[in-house]
Each structure stands twice: as C-alpha cells, then as structure tokens.
Amino acid sequence: MTPDQRNTAASTAGSKTIDTGLRLLEILKDHPDGLTITELAQLAGIHRNAVSRHLVALGHHRLAARIGTRFTLGLGIVELNAAVQHRLRSAASAALQVLADACNATAFITVLDIDESQAVVLTVAEPRVSQIHVSYRAGTRHPVNRGASGIAILAGRPPPPEERPAITQARAIGYSVTAGELQPGAWGVAAPIITAGRPANASVGVVTIGARDENEIAPLVLSAASEIARLL
C-alpha cells in the first residue's frame, strides 16, 4: 500500500468512527431513560464491542454518561448546547432589535430544547418607540408544536409521517402565523433559522396584541431569519 493509500484508508476509518459516535449520540437523544450496550448495539446495527469502545471515548469527553448498566447523554452535550446558544444570541442581537423596531412589536429567538419536545425562548428585543407591546420573558417554554415560533422550527425540519396541518402550511410558505395559541389575544409570525441546509433548531419571530397585516410583517421576519443565518 502506498503512503497516499494509507492516508486515504486512515481518513476513511476516522470518518467512519466519527459517524458511528454521532449516530450513538443521536440514538441516546431519543432515549432519555438510557440504554444498555446491548440495546444500543441492536439499534445502531453494530457489534457490542464497538459500542463499548465508542462509549468509552464519548465518556472521556463527557458526551455520554453511565448510570448502572445504562448509558445516557452526558453533561458535555448541555455545555456544547449552551455555547451554540451564546453564539446565536450574540449574532442575533442587532438583527433582532432591527426587527422589533421595524415591526413595532416584540421580537424573539426561540430554540429547540435538547429533548426536541419543547421550544424555549432564548432572547427577546422590545421595540424602542412603542408605548404598548407584549412582554415576553427569555426562558419561557411551550410545546414545540404550538405557537408560531415552535411551528416555524418544525417547518424548517424534514416532515415526520404525521404533523399538524399548520406545520405543513408553514413549510410551504416559509413562515408560520398563529393567533391565541399560547396567549389569548396574542398574534405571532415566525420563520425558521436555517444554516448550511441543516434542519432548523431555532426560529425568529414577533408577537403583537391583536392581528397585524401578515403581508407587511412576514417579509420582515423572513429577512431577519436570513440575516441571522448569514451571521451564523
């Protein structure tokens, strides 16, 4: 084998190792109560010994944790998620304030929680010239399939076998519109933040008291989503 062939083989083996490790993390994400090595091996379709070796490596980086005979995601995942959210918050701050002022409405970034069942408000910008606007608190949670922001995130991801018609519609037009789903009297528009063609994990939107002109607000929200994605 030539040096170039050895380098190619080593690179291929390294890529396969990384791919397998990521696949194990994705499986663990879908099983918050943890899995045994045997269960992981069956779901991943690889040998138990290989799973064991990968779990040791992931454990060294605190990406996987052992509880008795079961393995779960480690706290390192939370730290990585926090770092990504900090970057998103920093990149979005200026664009978010521009959106809030342009719409004269409260603007916000929402992210998908780690278990993917809830959406969490990451950061909020209030309009600087408005006398009356919706007060929205960072850290607020709601089911991801409810409200414009959560629906927008799901619309920026591949469709599952079944989903709410509102999500399908939002995917078709690029943004979601809801009224009164999370708060009586509130009206919201949100668009997914999509980077490098990857499934959305966040959205940007605005919320107002009472309905506004969708044709006026939606382009501003879509523009903000594109700008934030560009900055990321």
Side-chain angles (χ1 to χ4, degrees):
M1 182 180 290
T2 67
D4 286 344
Q5 288 173 326
R6 284 195 294 269
N7 290 337
T8 299
S11 176
T12 301
S15 298
K16 185 176 180 181
T17 298
I18 294 172
D19 181 72
T20 301
L22 292 174
R23 186 146 49 100
L24 292 177
L25 291 177
E26 290 174 349
I27 293 171
L28 289 176
K29 177 197 69 175
D30 295 332
H31 296 80
D33 294 331
L35 294 167
T36 65
I37 290 178
T38 299
E39 290 169 337
L40 260 174
Q42 291 173 343
L43 291 171
I46 58 179
H47 196 276
R48 291 180 74 262
N49 291 343
V51 171
S52 182
R53 289 196 301 271
H54 279 89
L55 288 173
V56 169
L58 293 170
H60 287 161
H61 295 281
R62 301 174 62 245
L63 299 178
R66 181 171 183 168
I67 304 175
T69 61
R70 306 183 78 79
F71 291 83
T72 65
L73 291 178
L75 291 178
I77 293 289
V78 177
E79 294 166 358
L80 289 174
N81 186 53
V84 171
Q85 290 190 9
H86 174 74
R87 182 184 174 201
L88 175 58
R89 190 184 291 112
S90 299
S93 58
L96 200 62
Q97 189 62 62
V98 169
L99 178 62
D101 292 340
C103 296
N104 197 23
T106 301
F108 54 96
I109 298 288
T110 302
V111 296
L112 189 63
D113 203 3
I114 290 177
D115 67 2
E116 298 189 357
S117 67
Q118 292 197 318
V120 185
V121 177
L122 178 66
T123 186
V124 177
E126 298 182 348
R128 288 175 288 196
V129 296
S130 174
Q131 297 297 317
I132 300 175
H133 55 266
V134 175
S135 179
Y136 210 20
R137 181 169 53 85
T140 299
R141 294 172 171 270
H142 59 81
V144 71
N145 63 349
R146 304 288 295 176
S149 58
I151 290 173
I153 294 175
L154 295 179
R157 301 172 71 84
E162 295 183 6
E163 65 180 6
R164 286 186 64 190
I167 301 170
T168 305
Q169 180 181 0
R171 187 179 293 108
I173 63 177
Y175 63 90
S176 62
V177 182
T178 61
E181 283 210 350
L182 301 177
Q183 179 70 36
W187 179 85
V189 177
I193 299 172
I194 300 175
T195 58
R198 293 191 294 267
N201 287 304
S203 68
V204 59
V206 296
V207 60
T208 68
I209 301 171
R212 298 270 292 276
D213 185 351
E214 178 182 332
N215 294 324
E216 174 188 349
I217 300 297
L220 297 173
V221 172
L222 287 167
S223 177
S226 296
E227 173 64 9
I228 294 169
R230 184 187 67 80
L231 293 172
L232 289 172

